[in-house]
Amino acid sequence: MLAENRLFTLPDESGLHADITVVPTGELKVTILEKNSSMQGDFNQLYFYSDGKRTELVCKDQLVPENIQWHVHLANDDARELAKLIEMAEEEYEILMRDL
């Protein structure tokens, strides 16, 4: 069970790059390299909203879903890849826990 890491170029953000790590224990870590800003959230806090050629990844507060902790825009293909990585990490973790 290893963390998966991807580097995505953000659309409409003048060449900013997001270094995203999917941790199989249920956590996503996002670092905007050029701004040296880091964000993180649990899988159950994450929502994908498609809007034309890009998808917004939103991390919402679990207790008050109206409160957005952070968000980042991704290209649709990058968002689909990230969603698959999250799904695979959840399945892998579930299998591991079941085997224990």
Side-chain angles (χ1 to χ4, degrees):
M1 183 166 65
L2 300 173
E4 290 283 342
N5 187 269
R6 295 292 187 275
L7 182 65
F8 296 123
T9 300
L10 303 180
D12 304 328
E13 295 289 333
S14 64
L16 294 179
H17 297 89
D19 184 18
I20 299 179
T21 303
V22 178
V23 182
T25 55
E27 186 178 33
L28 185 79
K29 297 178 181 180
V30 179
T31 301
I32 306 301
L33 298 177
E34 291 79 5
K35 294 184 176 183
N36 199 27
S37 65
S38 296
M39 305 163 278
Q40 64 184 38
D42 293 334
F43 291 167
N44 58 359
Q45 294 177 282
L46 302 175
Y47 299 87
F48 291 89
Y49 298 104
S50 184
D51 179 27
K53 294 183 180 181
R54 62 185 189 171
T55 299
E56 183 178 20
L57 171 61
V58 178
C59 180
K60 295 184 177 184
D61 187 306
Q62 287 182 309
L63 299 176
V64 185
E66 299 82 35
N67 291 346
I68 295 175
Q69 293 181 337
W70 54 265
H71 66 97
V72 64
H73 290 99
L74 300 169
N76 288 339
D77 289 342
D78 294 342
R80 277 191 290 277
E81 180 180 354
L82 181 58
K84 283 183 184 180
L85 288 174
I86 291 170
E87 183 180 333
M88 288 172 30
E90 288 175 322
E91 289 173 6
E92 188 177 322
Y93 186 72
E94 186 177 309
I95 290 169
L96 180 66
M97 290 295 109
R98 206 175 26 232
D99 290 346
L100 291 177

